[in-house]
Amino acid sequence: MGIVSPGFQGKPRSAAVTLPPGQYLTEDFPVLSAGPTPRIQLDQWEFVITTEAGVKHRWSWAELLELPSETPTVDLHCVTKWSKLGTTWRGVALDSLFEQVDTAADFALAHSYGGYTTNLPLEDLLDGQAWLVYEYEGEELGAEHGGPVRLLVPHLYLWKSAKWVNGIQLLVQDEPGFWESAGYHDYGDPWREQRYQGD
Ligand SMILES: Nc1nc2c(c(=O)[nH]1)N[C@H]1C(S)=C(S)[C@@H](COP(=O)(O)O)O[C@H]1N2
Ligand SMILES: [Mo]
């Protein structure tokens, strides 16, 4: 037992956690993948932003690591109703990649090794809201959770955080991705419970 000075007992133990509507708390980290886990050699890996004009901006693994990294601690909310709080990642803010990109597009379609896609407004990838992450809790990101590199967009349901991400295609008109074509919401804000089209 340690000695606790009066008036300094840490954070209140009864602090209630507020979750988005319909979500429950989980401590483990479920794996949800719509297909087999692709294995990508780091010397083969690349990430490509393709503008609406067809201009391509490419980063190799080494080039990605040269960009300034951040360690966001964020909450995850899956549309299957689990939420996991306080996860810490390391990666590059999409802002750093988009510095070089000239675009007037409003929409983005993320593409992954294996063919998965998901759409989101370009503005939701910017202003410190989204990262390309390659570490989870201080360790190299495991393949089952999207390694070597996944997209992390924690303010939207987790299906927007494309695992094994390898590109962003910029679009003047929105196009649904994999789950959005199957009836999931185009935006997917957990706090507004936008699970399905029409929510
Ligand atoms: N490439 C790819 N990314 C994906 C998926 C997928 O099937 N393929 N599933 C999505 C869904 S529905 C969820 S809930 C999260 C799950 O991430 P996790 O397996 O790391 O928990 O990844 C998202 N990203
Ligand atoms: Mo999901």
Side-chain angles (χ1 to χ4, degrees):
M1 289 285 288
I3 296 165
V4 179
S5 347
F8 185 75
Q9 304 194 4
K11 47 185 171 179
R13 232 165 264 171
S14 60
V17 168
T18 307
L19 292 177
Q23 296 294 112
Y24 66 86
L25 202 55
T26 185
E27 296 294 333
D28 59 6
F29 194 176
V31 172
L32 286 104
S33 307
T37 295
R39 305 281 162 173
I40 303 113
Q41 302 293 319
L42 290 179
D43 59 358
Q44 304 286 306
W45 184 89
E46 66 168 5
F47 184 79
V48 183
I49 295 177
T50 307
T51 72
E52 70 277 22
V55 176
K56 291 183 188 288
H57 300 262
R58 297 175 189 274
W59 290 264
S60 67
W61 173 247
E63 288 165 340
L64 183 73
L65 294 188
E66 279 168 18
L67 295 174
S69 71
E70 299 179 359
T71 52
T73 296
V74 298
D75 301 337
L76 308 178
H77 307 295
C78 175
V79 73
T80 63
K81 301 199 167 178
W82 56 268
S83 291
K84 184 173 176 61
L85 305 184
T87 64
T88 300
W89 306 76
R90 178 183 295 276
V92 175
L94 268 289
D95 299 288
S96 301
L97 302 175
F98 274 96
E99 265 175 27
Q100 310 182 19
V101 177
D102 184 22
T103 181
D106 286 330
F107 300 98
L109 189 62
H111 290 260
S112 295
Y113 289 100
Y116 185 84
T117 54
T118 187
N119 59 312
L120 55 193
L122 175 56
E123 65 179 4
D124 286 79
L125 292 176
L126 304 176
D127 294 326
Q129 299 182 90
W131 296 266
L132 291 189
V133 292
Y134 43 76
E135 276 181 27
Y136 172 70
E137 302 297 348
E139 313 260 359
E140 163 183 304
L141 177 59
E144 73 280 13
H145 286 300
V149 178
R150 86 180 290 170
L151 183 62
L152 180 66
V153 194
H155 69 288
L156 300 177
Y157 280 123
L158 197 56
W159 88 78
K160 300 288 181 180
S161 293
K163 305 200 282 189
W164 318 297
V165 72
N166 68 356
I168 304 266
Q169 182 187 355
L170 295 171
L171 298 168
V172 172
Q173 296 218 314
D174 201 7
E175 264 180 43
F178 178 80
W179 283 119
E180 295 84 4
S181 300
Y184 284 82
H185 201 276
D186 279 321
Y187 188 60
D189 179 351
W191 296 97
R192 288 187 275 166
E193 210 170 358
Q194 294 172 333
R195 299 178 192 274
Y196 307 108
Q197 300 285 344
D199 282 351

